[in-house]
Amino acid sequence: MLVIFLMAWPFAFLATFDIPEKGTMPLLGWKRKLSYSALTFFGHVLYFVMGFRVKVKGKVASPKEAPILAAAPHSSFFDGIVSIAAGLPSIVSRQENLSSLFLGRFLSSLQPVVVSRVDPDSRKNTITEITRRATSGGLWPQILIFPEGTCTNRSCLITFKQGAFIPGVSVQPVLIRYPNKLDTVTWTWQGYSFTEALVLTLSQLVTKVEVEFLPVHVPTEEEKKDPILFANRVRSKMASALGVPVTDHTYEDCRLMISAGRLTLPMEAGLVEFTKISKKLNLKWDNIREQLDQFAAIANASKGGRIGIEEFANYLKLPVSDVLHELFALFDRNGDGSIDFREYVIGLSVLCNPANTEQTIQMAFQLFDIDEDGIITEDEFALIIRSSLGLPDLDISDLFKEIDADKTNKLSYEEFKDFALKHPEYAKLFTTYLELQRSQLFTETEFEPVPTPKMPVSEKTSVPRNKVCPQTTEDDHSSVSDKKED
């Protein structure tokens, strides 16, 4: 392998010597023909001595017919075999990879589309460059893209990223198979390390590889306008040819899996179908990553990385009650008696976060502040919590101490608000109690008979109420329709 690299290096040097600024002009003429022919030959020899036996099906389309090659499933660093079989198309590579004195020269000879981690506009610039090359009419080499964006175990096709489909040009799907009894090539988040996969694969006498070039997919006008539709249809065609299902998991799910592992959760706890959830619930990566920390704080006490009713109650510092069971059931979407991370994210977004608004927090604070002095004492707090849960003997001292950040035995609005924003799970309890209070007030107003007063209205005894449930007066009874509208 080393000898082959040394023999191929002069041709890589020829391809990159005395050329204009990187990426501005394609390599043309005799340099391109000579260097590409030699590098393709040495690439075939290299994989042969490594033990790979490559079987190619179908025909590679010309750059004019299909400017972009979309290869899947992506499962190993050995997938570079596709580049050799396709005649050395351009690839997408990180800027730091090109700085390597030896391998950087080989990567540069492929005229890669360069991605920079330090450039905030890198994604936009990469898409622009791919589009520029793909619409050059065959002037540039084809671009080989692995649209999954990460390595999988080939059991399914995950969501394709849109980079290969935004230009709206014809795409040739390329399938990769490793039909071996012993799988040593798969390099995923769990399994062999890079070194282990390399050594084990090189230890095999023969490693079979199949590269199949499917017919070119020419996008419709609808697909040109919608890269997601374009990507999904190409993925469906490839999945059908491979005989595997498709899923809505993405590279971001892999990142969540790694984060879950670091939080001592099972790695599969991070699988939430990120793209689907983020789109439907309008969530960003940082939101879901922060919620994973919250979930881990609750679920670490249980086995299997799921939240049971006991862990849920302990986290909220509340006893298991009928009210808590009802709240738990709202999170437990499949009714299996536990909450996984996906259900937790959906529950917070659909049930709690919409209720956790500034107005709701203000109303909840007013509800607890019975004497309307701008602070909440432990007695006031206990009275409302016990009423909302229907548990007159409930000890809420631990929960009160957690909210009381400055340890003054009194809760200010800022303390109350800060706790509510950090613990949106309580929002549903607050709003439920508010709804019950309002419902009770409306019921009293609408259905209780109003006796003929035997004393002046001004002398009538009133029912003590706070700002959330104000005092009922004679005027209240005369405006039932207004209350219904409110």
Side-chain angles (χ1 to χ4, degrees):
M1 289 170 59
L2 181 60
V3 169
I4 292 170
F5 271 118
L6 291 174
M7 293 175 66
W9 194 86
F11 295 96
F13 180 81
L14 175 65
T16 56
F17 177 72
D18 193 26
I19 59 174
E21 186 179 350
K22 293 179 180 178
T24 58
M25 290 293 293
L27 181 64
L28 301 171
W30 67 272
K31 277 189 176 182
R32 177 171 174 174
K33 289 183 179 180
L34 178 60
S35 60
Y36 271 51
S37 297
L39 291 174
T40 301
F41 169 76
F42 284 117
H44 282 292
V45 176
L46 175 66
Y47 279 113
F48 181 83
V49 300
M50 291 172 69
F52 286 98
R53 300 297 178 264
V54 184
K55 181 178 181 180
V56 178
K57 298 180 179 179
K59 182 182 178 182
V60 185
S62 68
K64 288 185 178 181
E65 293 174 320
I68 294 177
L69 304 175
H74 185 26
S75 62
S76 175
F77 49 87
F78 292 119
D79 291 346
I81 291 174
V82 175
S83 181
I84 304 299
L88 299 183
S90 296
I91 59 173
V92 179
S93 178
R94 295 198 301 263
Q95 178 71 51
E96 50 265 35
N97 293 342
L98 305 183
S99 60
S100 171
L101 179 63
F102 192 70
L103 291 178
R105 183 69 68 170
F106 285 101
L107 290 175
S108 297
S109 68
L110 299 178
Q111 306 176 75
V113 176
V114 181
V115 178
S116 173
R117 285 184 171 181
V118 298
D119 182 4
D121 296 323
S122 179
R123 174 180 170 80
K124 178 182 176 182
N125 294 337
T126 300
I127 296 298
T128 301
E129 180 62 16
I130 291 175
T131 303
R132 183 175 74 90
R133 296 191 183 193
T135 55
S136 66
L139 191 62
W140 285 88
Q142 291 167 297
I143 303 173
L144 174 63
I145 296 176
F146 294 92
E148 290 176 295
T150 188
C151 290
T152 70
N153 60 10
R154 300 187 299 278
S155 62
C156 63
L157 291 184
I158 64 174
T159 301
F160 281 6
K161 292 184 174 294
Q162 300 174 39
F165 308 96
I166 289 177
V169 298
S170 299
V171 172
Q172 183 170 30
V174 184
L175 307 181
I176 309 170
R177 301 183 181 92
Y178 292 92
N180 302 290
K181 291 183 179 179
L182 179 63
D183 180 15
T184 61
V185 300
T186 301
W187 184 50
T188 57
W189 298 91
Q190 288 179 304
Y192 298 135
S193 66
F194 175 88
T195 304
E196 290 171 338
L198 178 62
V199 172
L200 289 172
T201 301
L202 294 180
S203 299
Q204 306 303 311
L205 291 177
V206 174
T207 301
K208 297 178 182 178
V209 187
E210 291 182 2
V211 179
E212 182 177 358
F213 295 91
L214 296 181
V216 174
H217 184 101
V218 180
T220 63
E221 289 301 320
E222 185 182 13
E223 291 170 350
K224 289 179 181 179
K225 296 177 182 177
D226 188 351
I228 297 177
L229 176 65
F230 190 4
N232 287 339
R233 287 183 177 174
V234 171
R235 182 176 65 146
S236 296
K237 182 183 293 186
M238 297 174 74
S240 178
L242 289 165
V244 298
V246 299
T247 76
D248 289 314
H249 297 104
T250 62
Y251 170 67
E252 283 73 18
D253 286 290
C254 297
R255 293 174 64 190
L256 285 171
M257 285 177 63
I258 296 300
S259 298
R262 290 172 180 166
L263 293 170
T264 67
L265 293 172
M267 292 186 72
E268 57 271 19
L271 293 173
V272 297
E273 295 184 307
F274 176 85
T275 297
K276 180 189 289 185
I277 282 186
S278 62
K279 189 178 299 181
K280 288 187 175 182
L281 302 181
N282 195 27
L283 292 174
K284 304 297 182 184
W285 159 259
D286 291 338
N287 301 132
I288 295 183
R289 179 61 185 82
E290 183 179 342
Q291 290 171 359
L292 181 61
D293 290 333
Q294 299 169 3
F295 180 82
I298 312 173
N300 274 335
S302 64
K303 295 181 180 179
R306 301 172 74 90
I307 300 173
I309 185 66
E310 294 292 341
E311 291 80 27
F312 196 64
N314 290 338
Y315 176 72
L316 295 178
K317 292 182 173 56
L318 297 172
V320 176
S321 62
D322 292 341
V323 175
L324 200 68
H325 270 292
E326 291 176 9
L327 179 60
F328 184 86
L330 294 176
F331 280 84
D332 183 16
R333 294 167 61 84
N334 60 2
D336 65 352
S338 64
I339 303 171
D340 60 25
F341 180 52
R342 189 173 190 275
E343 292 172 326
Y344 181 76
V345 170
I346 295 173
L348 286 184
S349 300
V350 175
L351 301 172
C352 297
N353 288 341
N356 212 27
T357 62
E358 180 80 24
Q359 182 183 11
T360 301
I361 295 173
Q362 288 177 354
M363 292 183 67
F365 184 83
Q366 293 171 3
L367 174 69
F368 283 95
D369 183 15
I370 297 175
D371 59 7
E372 303 181 12
D373 61 353
I375 58 173
I376 301 173
T377 64
E378 185 170 346
D379 289 339
E380 290 174 325
F381 187 76
L383 177 63
I384 300 301
I385 289 293
R386 289 166 181 166
S387 298
S388 64
L389 296 177
L391 298 172
D393 300 323
L394 175 63
D395 182 8
I396 52 83
S397 57
D398 289 341
L399 177 58
F400 186 85
K401 289 176 182 177
E402 184 173 350
I403 306 175
D404 184 20
D406 58 7
K407 308 303 179 185
T408 59
N409 294 323
K410 296 178 181 178
L411 304 182
S412 67
Y413 176 70
E414 290 303 320
E415 287 178 313
F416 188 83
K417 177 183 176 182
D418 183 64
F419 182 83
L421 292 175
K422 291 180 179 178
H423 300 79
E425 301 89 349
Y426 288 94
K428 196 64 180 176
L429 288 174
F430 292 154
T431 54
T432 299
Y433 186 66
L434 287 171
E435 290 165 3
L436 288 173
Q437 290 287 323
R438 293 194 188 106
S439 176
Q440 181 180 359
L441 177 61
F442 294 159
T443 302
E444 292 173 357
T445 304
E446 185 171 359
F447 295 108
E448 285 189 4
V450 182
T452 303
K454 297 180 181 180
M455 64 181 76
V457 176
S458 59
E459 298 178 12
K460 187 174 180 179
T461 305
S462 62
V463 181
R465 297 184 183 269
N466 61 15
K467 295 189 290 293
V468 178
C469 299
Q471 178 177 332
T472 306
T473 67
E474 190 71 24
D475 292 337
D476 293 329
H477 296 291
S478 64
S479 58
V480 174
S481 60
D482 293 337
K483 290 184 180 293
K484 285 183 178 179
E485 289 178 6
D486 292 342

